Amino acid sequence: MTYKLYDSFLSASVKNKKLLAILVDPDVFNVSETNIFLRKLPKETTHIFVGGSTVENGKTEKVVSEIKKNTSIPILLFPGDVSQITNNADGLLFLSLLSGRNPEYLIEQQVKSVSKLRNSSLEVISTGYLLIDGGKTSAVERVSKTRPISQKKIQQIVDTAKAGEYLGMKLIYLEAGSGAKIPILPEIISAVKNELKIPLIIGGGIKSEKQKQDAYKAGADLVVMGTVFEK
Ligand code: 1GP
């Protein structure tokens, strides 16, 4: 196993070079328009994430193959469940939903994925995933049957992220939920970043250049944008 993707996250974080991932939801992605999608990607895009809370079986593999054929931008799976793991991507955010207390998304889906991962060449990156209240019920909340942490509970968010780092996780992802009304507030991003030694991913409800820059300034190493590019 090589750690090319994670090493690039670490070195970007050290050099303060900001990363941008565009998230593709395989359920709404039109494979016949892959080239149009790739042409429209912001030039600063460093990664393509592929995943959704619920995706029709087999769709992720088709979408990843088609994107892979047409670009050299690294593709990372961001799976809602084990059915979305496909070997043809470059890497996998191996998520554990640390904000919730549902064992299915803390460890059960991860155990179920091992038979698929054992012989795969995917770079598996352990990621502590925290769902934060983005002002509306998110798909993650519905599917995982867990409550998000309120943006007012900054200490709880910081402690949960830090617990992920102590557990040996390699990345922390603060998620306000796809299409969130309120993205993760800059004060939360800085509070978490101040305590972490590992790179920090921020996503959910980021639609404008200003919101993206605010997240970077507060300490996000990588920003994820999805909904705004689905249109
Ligand atoms: C959702 O964080 C991502 O999982 C991106 O959210 O679709 O709101 O950009 P948006």
Side-chain angles (χ1 to χ4, degrees):
M1 161 88 67
T2 56
Y3 296 98
K4 264 178 29 200
L5 285 167
Y6 189 61
D7 285 348
S8 71
F9 279 28
L10 282 180
S11 66
S13 178
V14 169
K15 292 179 198 146
N16 206 26
K17 178 186 175 300
K18 300 300 184 180
L19 305 172
L20 175 67
I22 299 302
L23 174 65
V24 168
D25 181 343
D27 263 348
V28 296
F29 188 81
N30 184 347
V31 281
S32 65
E33 293 183 355
T34 303
N35 275 313
I36 301 176
F37 163 79
L38 289 169
R39 275 201 300 276
K40 286 191 174 160
L41 280 180
K43 59 177 184 337
E44 64 274 25
T45 305
T46 54
H47 298 83
I48 295 171
F49 285 3
V50 180
S53 292
T54 51
V55 174
E56 187 194 321
N57 216 342
K59 189 84 200 283
T60 305
E61 186 159 6
K62 284 192 202 116
V63 169
V64 171
S65 303
E66 203 51 39
I67 297 176
K68 187 98 201 127
K69 258 192 260 165
N70 292 286
T71 183
S72 57
I73 300 174
I75 303 173
L76 274 152
L77 300 174
F78 171 58
D81 62 44
V82 60
S83 74
Q84 294 172 40
I85 295 177
T86 163
N87 201 20
N88 54 1
D90 300 294
L92 163 69
L93 295 182
F94 198 64
L95 306 167
S96 178
L97 184 58
L98 298 181
S99 54
R101 295 297 176 268
N102 181 351
E104 185 66 31
Y105 293 93
L106 274 166
I107 184 63
E108 186 63 24
Q109 286 287 319
Q110 294 77 351
V111 174
K112 286 177 184 155
S113 70
V114 172
S115 59
K116 282 187 161 184
L117 294 176
R118 188 172 279 117
N119 296 315
S120 110
S121 55
L122 287 169
E123 181 177 334
V124 178
I125 308 176
S126 172
T127 304
Y129 189 52
L130 279 68
L131 181 63
I132 312 295
D133 190 358
K136 67 173 219 194
T137 306
S138 64
V140 179
E141 175 174 357
R142 266 197 309 274
V143 172
S144 71
K145 301 188 177 67
T146 66
R147 294 282 304 143
I149 305 179
S150 158
Q151 300 222 27
K152 292 190 185 112
K153 296 193 172 162
I154 298 187
Q155 196 60 51
Q156 191 186 334
I157 297 171
V158 170
D159 290 356
T160 307
K162 193 68 187 171
E165 183 180 287
Y166 284 146
L167 278 166
M169 290 169 170
K170 299 284 199 288
L171 296 170
I172 295 293
Y173 189 142
L174 300 184
E175 168 74 88
S178 188
K181 280 197 205 148
I182 310 157
I184 309 286
L185 296 172
E187 61 192 283
I188 296 177
I189 301 174
S190 354
V192 171
K193 183 65 186 174
N194 280 341
E195 290 234 7
L196 287 186
K197 296 192 177 67
I198 53 179
L200 179 61
I201 302 178
I202 300 294
I206 298 178
K207 296 180 214 67
S208 68
E209 183 59 25
K210 170 153 188 345
Q211 287 171 323
K212 187 177 85 176
Q213 292 303 334
D214 286 350
Y216 286 146
K217 266 184 236 146
D221 295 293
L222 182 149
V223 165
V224 185
M225 295 171 91
T227 310
V228 78
F229 290 101
E230 275 169 17
K231 310 242 153 59

